[in-house]
Amino acid sequence: MRLSRLLRNKIEFSHLKDGKLHMVDITHKMKSIRYAAAQGKISMSRQCFDEIKKTTSGIESSYLKKGDIFSVATVAGIQAAKMTPSLIPLCHQINLTHIELDFELNEDDCAVSIRSECKCSESTGVEMEALTAVSVAALTVYDMCKAIDKNMVISDIKLIQKTK
Amino acid sequence: MRLSRLLRNKIEFSHLKDGKLHMVDITHKMKSIRYAAAQGKISMSRQCFDEIKKTTSGIESSYLKKGDIFSVATVAGIQAAKMTPSLIPLCHQINLTHIELDFELNEDDCAVSIRSECKCSESTGVEMEALTAVSVAALTVYDMCKAIDKNMVISDIKLIQKTK
Amino acid sequence: MRLSRLLRNKIEFSHLKDGKLHMVDITHKMKSIRYAAAQGKISMSRQCFDEIKKTTSGIESSYLKKGDIFSVATVAGIQAAKMTPSLIPLCHQINLTHIELDFELNEDDCAVSIRSECKCSESTGVEMEALTAVSVAALTVYDMCKAIDKNMVISDIKLIQKTK
Amino acid sequence: MRLSRLLRNKIEFSHLKDGKLHMVDITHKMKSIRYAAAQGKISMSRQCFDEIKKTTSGIESSYLKKGDIFSVATVAGIQAAKMTPSLIPLCHQINLTHIELDFELNEDDCAVSIRSECKCSESTGVEMEALTAVSVAALTVYDMCKAIDKNMVISDIKLIQKTK
Amino acid sequence: MRLSRLLRNKIEFSHLKDGKLHMVDITHKMKSIRYAAAQGKISMSRQCFDEIKKTTSGIESSYLKKGDIFSVATVAGIQAAKMTPSLIPLCHQINLTHIELDFELNEDDCAVSIRSECKCSESTGVEMEALTAVSVAALTVYDMCKAIDKNMVISDIKLIQKTK
Amino acid sequence: MRLSRLLRNKIEFSHLKDGKLHMVDITHKMKSIRYAAAQGKISMSRQCFDEIKKTTSGIESSYLKKGDIFSVATVAGIQAAKMTPSLIPLCHQINLTHIELDFELNEDDCAVSIRSECKCSESTGVEMEALTAVSVAALTVYDMCKAIDKNMVISDIKLIQKTK
């Protein structure tokens, strides 16, 4: 039933026109304010989690300067959001007007939750930018902590809100 | 006890020296053949999964030319692996000698599994390159299919093998 | 006579003002919909041409998965169009709203014809983007086929239409 | 007969392994000095050609500062050669040790000939780098002169020498 | 007293919101024509200065083709201005509508003065673009001349005008 | 006398061969460990300096989270060092094996001193990488603080050590 609805509504893989790859034509779409929020998390060992926690709770860590991991991951996420059209082949070039990342320590499952928000005033949505920001921020946390834990897992990357 | 072992073994967050951010000094490390494999998956609705499946099993899809989604995602993953030092701030610049991506349709959980392999002959490992390839390939699958399903979830991104 | 007309009409090399290199000032030009189409071709040996042909006509090739060469070249052309201001020093930064590439097999002269179309809604034309897309797509076909034929020739790259 | 030789010699499209796109594994190839030279040309109207000629022969042009067009095109070609792995999806990352471009005015056919040379000491050839340098240098000449002539044609881009 | 004024006026480090790094939200700021000019200089030995001077005054240099150093530095400065959001982490992406660089020989203090101007029609200023253009142009002069003088000093990089 | 010594020693602008721009041929130069250190400073108002000082001395700032400015500037400097061959047209591509940045508060002249170190094991020096790291780190400090002080001046950027 869902399939028949699909067929009736002519929903299609957007990057293919008559079966041919292309960057979708948005020339005649009106510009409007676009917003998207995405999230994801990176799970790690208790030991690794505890070291990260020290850096954010003001307890002295022998290993980490306060805030550095999340500062670096924030910068990486922001820069990645701007690079989205270079990374995702069929994404349009857009000038983002806002990028923000948040990190939260989840004690119970030894994980860092990452949340991003992107905005622009363009003719196409910014969900890929928000998802890319979260993904690269998570990879950066992995890179910063991999000397302690190589078995971290990045998961639950998804779009949580999209408005225009 | 694990913490004390950590202290004894002087395992440290590698990108911080005396609490200061830096790109780790690998000047005197010997070059050797480095290999890393990573994996991840993107889960989606049955409808979206079935459309992708048609494109790979030779059944005619109204929506997709054969192989395109995975060709585009392969190219995106390969290009992203090469861009890793631009994306992950403290990663070293390395010249990869091999990049490969595999996609597998998991019927039971309506997901596409993605696996990457990277190699180089350098003084540092390639796990970040392999993880980045998988992440960006998954984001590209998301981008190609988002007109059908906006609730896809990218998860289980992890290192599965690393040798030198 | 043509020269005198030039002088009278004050047509000038646009990137030089009083003999000084600069990126032309388009601050006060109105934004409008810009379109450009470009084409080019890559000529090759009969053997190489025949292998490519198999991949597009549904005949099984021992060498090539269906569609891959043109999928990869399409992605390369689209990404190159977006990178035009990084490649061509005095080009303006523009956000393209559409990029499309077409490939055609020319049996008679053993060549692949490539055609690109670009659009934007900006203050400057997109001919350089369309020409860059064709050039890089042709180079990508060369790269994909060079194990079979190293004597391929890229030619006839030109603007075929420009409107605003 | 050529085809059967191909089959016997197992020459294959190099970027496909068992029909799957990948970046060819060169991990175990020895590094050696690689050299490639490529050429191409851009043909134009007599008027446009004459303006360029003035800039290089020391005659005062009202339109162009001496040497600028070829200085800009040289820089563009050099930068493009370095960017080749970002442009051509399956190209390996290599560190070029030499890049050089030459421009020659061909009076008879109103064309600028462009020649490039690239060198490296790596495990893979540099023909794509040399071809890319020529292509982008030609596009830059087009861009610098397009206010005078929009009908320029870029052609005869080919590899002229390759050694290791 | 200046501090109390600061506190009263709630002037703040703009890239931090409640102490958190982010790319400032300019979604609701009106687009307007923005202009910024910056300057800087590179000081060098008399010998190095004299060699550069020959290249610009029409006297034959054994070392330098006329105009090349400033052509290359102009191109580098223009390209760097366009790359500003990739270089300065929290800068917004903007499409510049004009970039211009000027070089002046200061006989008295053996220095090359560099001046840049940038314009756009966006929601944020272009001072970082102008400052980046000057900085990278100065670095390029350093690179071109370092075989003669390794003790050059880049200084006095500052914003000289900003309007909207 | 210095000039005659120059002529005798055949010291030349390195990027020009017979008056032609090129990327210097280093194919036959031996690889060795290269080190360069550079420095520079950014001067500012007392008010701006005091706000930055709070962030590093543990005193609570209303404006800045601890360490953020220098974390962001460190990341920017490291990323810029890696991007040097994209920024400085005739620079060779090298894979840096170490990048480090230091920031020091100079109370007396209200300035932040920036020092960088780069290393590689290649056939060419890394002074341009070290100078670029300092320049972009200084620009990033400017960007982070410009809401408080627009009259900051970047100066004294120079090479302080180079060994191989």
Side-chain angles (χ1 to χ4, degrees), chain C residues 70-152:
Chain C
F70 296 153
S71 290
V72 177
T74 299
V75 170
I78 288 172
Q79 292 299 72
K82 295 188 221 167
M83 290 170 72
T84 302
S86 303
L87 290 169
I88 312 299
L90 305 181
C91 266
H92 290 87
Q93 302 166 289
I94 51 177
N95 292 351
L96 293 167
T97 51
H98 182 55
I99 313 170
E100 193 171 326
L101 283 109
D102 273 291
F103 297 84
E104 206 177 270
L105 291 166
N106 296 343
E107 187 72 41
D108 292 344
D109 52 356
C110 278
V112 175
S113 290
I114 305 171
R115 193 178 180 284
S116 72
E117 288 181 41
C118 290
K119 282 188 210 165
C120 76
S121 180
E122 304 268 1
S123 310
T124 187
V126 292
E127 64 265 52
M128 293 317 302
E129 284 72 12
L131 289 162
T132 301
V134 163
S135 298
V136 173
L139 290 167
T140 301
V141 171
Y142 187 102
D143 182 50
M144 303 284 288
C145 300
K146 71 179 189 286
I148 295 183
D149 182 2
K150 277 187 174 36
N151 299 314
M152 288 170 282

Side-chain angles (χ1 to χ4, degrees), chain E residues 2-3 6-7 11-16 19 21 45 47-48 51-52 54 62-65 68-69 72 76 80 83 86-91 127-128 131-132 135-136 139-140 142-148 150 152-159 162, chain F residues 2-3 6-7 11-16 19 21 45 47-48 51-52 54 62-65 68-69 72 76 80 83 86-91 127-128 131-132 135-136 139-140 142-148 150 152-159 162:
Chain E
R2 283 180 67 184
L3 183 62
L6 170 75
L7 291 166
I11 298 163
E12 285 184 23
F13 286 88
S14 52
H15 295 306
L16 296 158
L21 279 173
S45 67
Q47 171 194 352
C48 186
E51 287 301 317
I52 291 182
K54 286 183 197 165
S62 323
Y63 307 111
L64 262 189
K65 194 172 140 194
D68 272 346
I69 283 183
V72 177
M83 289 170 73
S86 303
L87 290 169
I88 312 299
L90 305 181
C91 267
E127 64 265 53
M128 293 317 302
L131 289 162
T132 300
S135 299
V136 173
L139 290 167
T140 300
Y142 187 103
D143 183 49
M144 302 282 289
C145 300
K146 70 180 191 286
I148 295 184
K150 278 188 171 37
M152 288 170 281
V153 180
I154 297 168
S155 56
D156 291 329
I157 295 175
K158 61 187 167 194
L159 185 65
K162 186 185 170 184
Chain F
R2 284 180 66 184
L3 183 63
L6 169 75
L7 291 167
I11 299 164
E12 286 185 23
F13 286 88
S14 52
H15 296 305
L16 296 160
L21 277 174
S45 68
Q47 171 194 353
C48 185
E51 286 302 314
I52 291 182
K54 286 183 197 165
S62 325
Y63 307 112
L64 261 188
K65 195 174 140 196
D68 272 346
I69 282 182
V72 176
M83 290 170 73
S86 304
L87 289 169
I88 313 298
L90 305 181
C91 267
E127 64 265 52
M128 293 317 302
L131 289 162
T132 301
S135 299
V136 173
L139 290 167
T140 301
Y142 188 102
D143 182 49
M144 302 282 289
C145 301
K146 70 178 191 285
I148 296 184
K150 277 186 173 38
M152 289 170 280
V153 180
I154 297 169
S155 57
D156 289 329
I157 295 175
K158 62 186 167 195
L159 186 65
K162 186 186 170 184

Side-chain angles (χ1 to χ4, degrees), chain C residues 29 34-38 124-128 159-164, chain D residues 142 146 150:
Chain C
K29 288 179 74 174
R34 310 286 186 140
Y35 167 89
T124 187
V126 292
E127 64 265 52
M128 293 317 302
L159 185 66
I160 49 178
Q161 204 182 342
K162 187 185 170 184
T163 61
K164 70 168 177 172
Chain D
Y142 188 102
K146 70 179 191 284
K150 277 186 173 37

Side-chain angles (χ1 to χ4, degrees), chain D residues 104-163:
Chain D
E104 207 177 87
L105 292 166
N106 296 343
E107 187 73 41
D108 291 344
D109 52 357
C110 277
V112 176
S113 290
I114 306 171
R115 194 179 178 282
S116 72
E117 288 181 44
C118 291
K119 282 189 210 166
C120 75
S121 181
E122 303 268 1
S123 309
T124 188
V126 291
E127 64 266 52
M128 293 317 302
E129 283 74 11
L131 290 162
T132 301
V134 164
S135 299
V136 173
L139 289 167
T140 301
V141 172
Y142 188 102
D143 182 49
M144 302 283 289
C145 301
K146 70 179 191 284
I148 296 184
D149 182 1
K150 277 186 173 37
N151 299 315
M152 289 170 281
V153 179
I154 297 169
S155 57
D156 290 327
I157 295 175
K158 62 186 166 194
L159 186 65
I160 50 177
Q161 203 182 343
K162 186 186 170 184
T163 62

Side-chain angles (χ1 to χ4, degrees), chain F residues 28-148:
Chain F
H28 296 283
K29 288 180 75 175
M30 292 294 292
K31 292 198 175 193
S32 61
I33 293 174
R34 311 286 184 140
Y35 168 88
Q39 70 177 31
K41 69 173 182 179
I42 176 164
S43 307
M44 57 194 71
S45 68
R46 171 63 55 188
Q47 171 194 353
C48 185
F49 181 78
D50 285 343
E51 286 302 314
I52 291 182
K53 197 170 57 173
K54 286 183 197 165
T55 73
T56 60
S57 58
I59 300 164
E60 199 59 42
S61 162
S62 325
Y63 307 112
L64 261 188
K65 195 174 140 196
K66 279 190 195 191
D68 272 346
I69 282 182
F70 296 153
S71 289
V72 176
T74 298
V75 170
I78 288 173
Q79 290 300 71
K82 296 189 221 168
M83 290 170 73
T84 303
S86 304
L87 289 169
I88 313 298
L90 305 181
C91 267
H92 290 88
Q93 301 165 291
I94 52 179
N95 292 352
L96 293 167
T97 52
H98 183 55
I99 313 170
E100 194 171 324
L101 283 110
D102 273 292
F103 297 84
E104 208 177 86
L105 292 166
N106 295 343
E107 186 73 40
D108 290 345
D109 52 356
C110 277
V112 175
S113 290
I114 306 171
R115 194 180 178 282
S116 72
E117 289 181 43
C118 291
K119 282 189 209 165
C120 75
S121 180
E122 302 269 1
S123 309
T124 188
V126 292
E127 64 265 52
M128 293 317 302
E129 283 74 10
L131 289 162
T132 301
V134 163
S135 299
V136 173
L139 290 167
T140 301
V141 171
Y142 188 102
D143 182 49
M144 302 282 289
C145 301
K146 70 178 191 285
I148 296 184

